[in-house]
Amino acid sequence: MPTLLVFGARNVGRVLARELIADGWNAAAVARTQDTIDALRAEVPEALGIVADATSAADVERAFAETRDRFGPPDLVVSALTDGPRSGSIVELAADAFDSYLHDLLPAIFNVLRVGSRVLVENGGGTFVQMTGGSARRGMPKRGPWAAAAFATRALTQSAAGELRERNVHGALLIVDAVIESPKVAGRMEGQPPEKFATMEEIAKAVVYLHGQSPRAWTHELQLTPALETWVP
């Protein structure tokens, strides 16, 4: 039975665990708070919930160890770690507008990518998927810090994928070029065309697709764009 380990259990990670368990997988999901893990377990009781902070390298190592102890080594590692965009004109942003990305988000992504890559290589193969937003492909007005973090995420993942393909691991970047549907954006969805949004189930399908690709396949970057009703490699 294959095993998923996903970092970010609140929304996408929760749905991904639910969908894969329904398909016969084992699943472990990581979140920073016990409340998020309790919500995960209420919806997906078969999932292993792990409270850990990905900004801590020791916590990331522990999450992999707990997954291995319960299910064996993961076959698919997904980093669904995100942070909301800090909106504002570059001439108005505060000096600390970049701090949360620089000190929290990017170190967390780096820890999961670094440890996950090592674990997959040590176990002979598998898939690593990093999620990010459309700003990874283009900067947007009033979202400079967010775009910079997304570009950095893309660069880290691309660099790792180039190494991992020679070691039987498929490293891939999933760019969700849409607002992800969740309770916290429900108010923003009213009156908006549906193609501006992506469901978490659509994202789960894209992750499964990437896992099905060979490490030497061309699909090392996939853009999910509901407005185009397509996936754009």
Side-chain angles (χ1 to χ4, degrees):
M1 194 180 285
T3 295
L4 161 74
L5 173 57
V6 57
F7 287 79
R10 179 178 300 236
N11 291 310
V12 172
R14 170 179 50 81
V15 171
L16 182 59
R18 184 191 72 203
E19 297 295 300
L20 289 188
I21 284 175
D23 255 355
W25 284 59
N26 297 314
V30 179
R32 287 180 296 178
T33 68
Q34 187 63 51
D35 285 348
T36 299
I37 293 301
D38 290 344
L40 165 77
R41 296 278 294 139
E43 182 174 346
V44 195
E46 303 92 339
L48 171 64
I50 301 169
V51 177
D53 185 344
T55 63
S56 163
D59 274 17
V60 172
E61 296 278 6
R62 176 172 56 79
F64 277 91
E66 290 188 22
T67 302
R68 182 196 63 230
D69 291 345
R70 174 72 71 88
F71 301 126
D75 303 276
L76 170 61
V77 177
V78 177
S79 172
L81 301 172
T82 60
D83 194 1
R86 305 287 183 270
S87 299
S89 168
I90 195 66
V91 301
E92 298 169 351
L93 287 174
D96 63 356
F98 196 52
D99 286 2
S100 68
Y101 302 117
L102 192 61
H103 300 303
D104 296 319
L105 180 62
L106 290 176
I109 288 171
F110 177 66
N111 281 335
V112 176
L113 178 60
R114 179 180 59 82
V115 178
S117 296
R118 190 197 73 225
V119 168
L120 290 169
V121 167
E122 288 175 349
N123 288 288
T127 304
F128 182 95
V129 177
Q130 172 66 55
M131 284 181 51
T132 191
S135 289
R137 284 197 162 182
R138 65 193 183 284
M140 298 181 183
K142 298 186 178 181
R143 291 195 175 183
W146 170 240
F151 268 63
T153 299
R154 186 183 185 191
L156 279 170
T157 307
Q158 284 182 339
S159 297
E163 298 178 41
L164 294 174
R165 67 185 304 171
E166 304 301 326
R167 307 184 76 171
N168 200 40
V169 174
H170 183 198
L173 182 71
L174 176 58
I175 300 173
V176 182
D177 194 10
V179 177
I180 300 173
E181 291 185 11
S182 71
K184 72 178 182 180
V185 302
R188 295 167 57 189
M189 295 174 63
E190 295 179 9
Q192 296 293 321
E195 60 267 20
K196 283 192 173 184
F197 301 89
T199 69
M200 289 183 273
E201 288 78 10
E202 289 173 321
I203 295 169
K205 288 178 182 177
V207 171
V208 170
Y209 170 79
L210 286 167
H211 179 61
Q213 303 304 298
S214 161
R216 293 187 175 275
W218 51 267
T219 316
H220 291 286
E221 187 171 291
L222 192 66
Q223 181 172 330
L224 174 59
T225 310
L228 301 178
E229 297 185 347
T230 188
W231 296 346
V232 181

